[in-house]
């Protein structure tokens, strides 16, 4: 069985399959967080994927650049932005190696972007985010919580069966490493289905370790909470708002 790289096949279906995640509410929560920095105008969306949050921030009046390692995701992002007549800039790159002379007022990294980065590479990633920001620039990001991985994902099968696509994810966990073998069955115009396989590897990050690493990387941690202000002990997602010192 030949597997595509992560998001090689899923990119074209990602927003469609996540249509129940509450994108509008989620975007408003993020925009409200950056709104605490009234001088912020330009933003970098790290791990932008197909660009849903990038587009929402642009609609809110911010100048946005989307950054992602996946060419398939960026192709979908360009397509969706064009269809919605939104002008955006897209860059392909890995935040663990990303360097730019340009400075941004804020950066966001949403929906598990940093779960795809191993603990060993986190210092480089945080350092590169800091280098991309103006002094006092904001950094807003999230991770899936350890509780979510251990209680809801580890050793499970996730499924979403629709008329035009079936999504299956076979999940296993070894220490802080989570492997998700994803299979898609996509309906062709003739009614038959194509099978597409890809593997995703994510990492469990303890919030206390992330907070400490942020400070060591030159950030001041302003807020740590569950998504939408939930109690992080019971939330599936932990959100961090920091400022470049």
């Amino acid at each position: 069985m030949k597997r595509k790289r992560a998001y090689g096949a899923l990119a074209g279906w990602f927003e469609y399959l996540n249509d129940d995640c509450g994108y509008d509410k989620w975007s408003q929560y993020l925009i409200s967080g950056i709104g605490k920095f009234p001088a912020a105008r330009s933003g970098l969306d790290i791990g932008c994927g197909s660009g849903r949050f990038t587009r929402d921030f642009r609609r809110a009046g911010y100048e946005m650049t989307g950054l992602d390692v996946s060419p398939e995701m960026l192709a979908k992002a360009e397509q969706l932005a064009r269809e919605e007549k939104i002008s955006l800039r897209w860059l392909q790159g890995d935040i663990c190696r990303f360097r730019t002379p340009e400075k941004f007022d804020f950066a966001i990294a949403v929906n598990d972007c940093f779960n795809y980065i191993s603990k060993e590479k986190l210092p480089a990633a945080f350092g590169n985010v800091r280098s991309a920001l103006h002094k006092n620039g904001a950094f807003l990001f999230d991770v899936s919580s350890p509780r979510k991985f251990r209680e809801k994902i580890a050793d499970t099968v996730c499924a979403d069966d629709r008329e035009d696509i079936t999504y299956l994810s076979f999940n296993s966990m070894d220490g802080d490493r989570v492997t998700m073998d994803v299979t898609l069955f996509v309906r062709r115009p003739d009614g038959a289905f194509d099978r597409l396989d890809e593997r995703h590897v994510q990492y469990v990050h303890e919030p206390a370790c992330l907070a400490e690493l942020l400070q060591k990387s030159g950030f001041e941690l302003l807020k740590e909470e569950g998504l939408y202000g939930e109690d992080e002990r019971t939330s599936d997602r932990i959100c961090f708002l920091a400022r470049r010192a």
Side-chain angles (χ1 to χ4, degrees):
M1 178 179 62
K2 184 177 180 180
R3 290 191 180 94
K4 292 179 176 287
R5 60 189 163 210
Y7 297 106
L10 188 57
W13 298 92
F14 186 76
E15 288 189 28
Y16 175 69
L17 289 168
N18 283 276
D19 57 5
D20 60 349
C21 76
Y23 272 125
D24 291 338
K25 180 181 179 181
W26 199 349
S27 288
Q28 288 307 307
Y29 169 76
L30 299 169
I31 291 167
S32 175
I34 296 301
K36 295 177 173 60
F37 297 78
R41 294 290 181 270
S42 64
L44 177 67
D45 186 358
I46 301 164
C48 65
S50 53
R52 173 57 194 261
F53 298 115
T54 331
R55 302 195 305 274
D56 285 349
F57 267 85
R58 183 68 189 95
R59 276 189 283 262
Y62 295 99
E63 295 296 327
M64 296 299 298
T65 297
L67 172 73
D68 203 279
V69 72
S70 166
E72 293 86 358
M73 275 295 209
L74 290 173
K76 186 65 176 182
E78 289 180 333
Q79 174 198 331
L80 293 173
R82 185 169 57 251
E83 290 173 356
E84 296 179 21
K85 296 180 171 56
I86 297 175
S87 177
L88 290 162
R89 181 175 57 159
W90 309 101
L91 300 174
Q92 185 180 356
D94 180 348
I95 192 57
C96 296
R97 297 189 295 270
F98 179 71
R99 290 285 184 172
T100 173
E102 184 176 0
K103 301 292 185 182
F104 299 88
D105 297 326
F106 68 92
I108 61 172
V110 186
N111 198 7
D112 296 353
C113 171
F114 274 76
N115 287 113
Y116 281 93
I117 301 174
S118 68
K119 291 179 181 178
E120 293 75 20
K121 294 182 178 180
L122 280 177
F126 282 152
N128 289 340
V129 175
R130 185 182 187 278
S131 295
L133 292 174
H134 289 295
K135 183 176 174 58
N136 296 320
F139 179 30
L140 178 58
F141 75 99
D142 66 39
V143 292
S144 282
S145 67
R147 185 191 64 83
K148 175 184 173 183
F149 279 118
R150 292 168 182 147
E151 298 182 9
K152 294 187 174 183
I153 295 180
D155 304 317
T156 64
V157 177
C158 298
D160 188 346
D161 186 25
R162 308 192 185 194
E163 288 297 320
D164 46 0
I165 185 171
T166 295
Y167 166 93
L168 299 169
S169 180
F170 301 87
N171 310 317
S172 61
M173 188 169 177
D174 182 11
D176 65 357
R177 179 186 171 101
V178 181
T179 301
M180 292 166 278
D181 286 318
V182 172
T183 296
L184 303 177
F185 293 97
V186 180
R187 185 188 293 273
R188 300 197 309 247
D190 63 3
F193 284 81
D194 289 323
R195 173 176 173 167
L196 304 168
D197 298 279
E198 60 186 50
R199 171 167 288 177
H200 296 243
V201 176
Q202 294 193 16
Y203 299 89
V204 180
H205 296 310
E206 296 294 338
C209 294
L210 291 172
E212 180 181 2
L213 186 55
L214 272 173
Q215 293 172 335
K216 288 182 177 179
S217 300
F219 287 96
E220 176 190 0
L221 180 60
L222 302 177
K223 183 182 289 189
E224 176 186 332
E225 63 183 12
L227 186 62
Y228 309 132
E230 299 168 347
D231 186 335
E232 66 176 81
R233 293 172 297 180
T234 56
S235 181
D236 284 347
R237 195 169 296 280
I238 312 300
C239 304
F240 298 82
L241 177 62
R243 174 170 52 209
R244 175 182 169 168

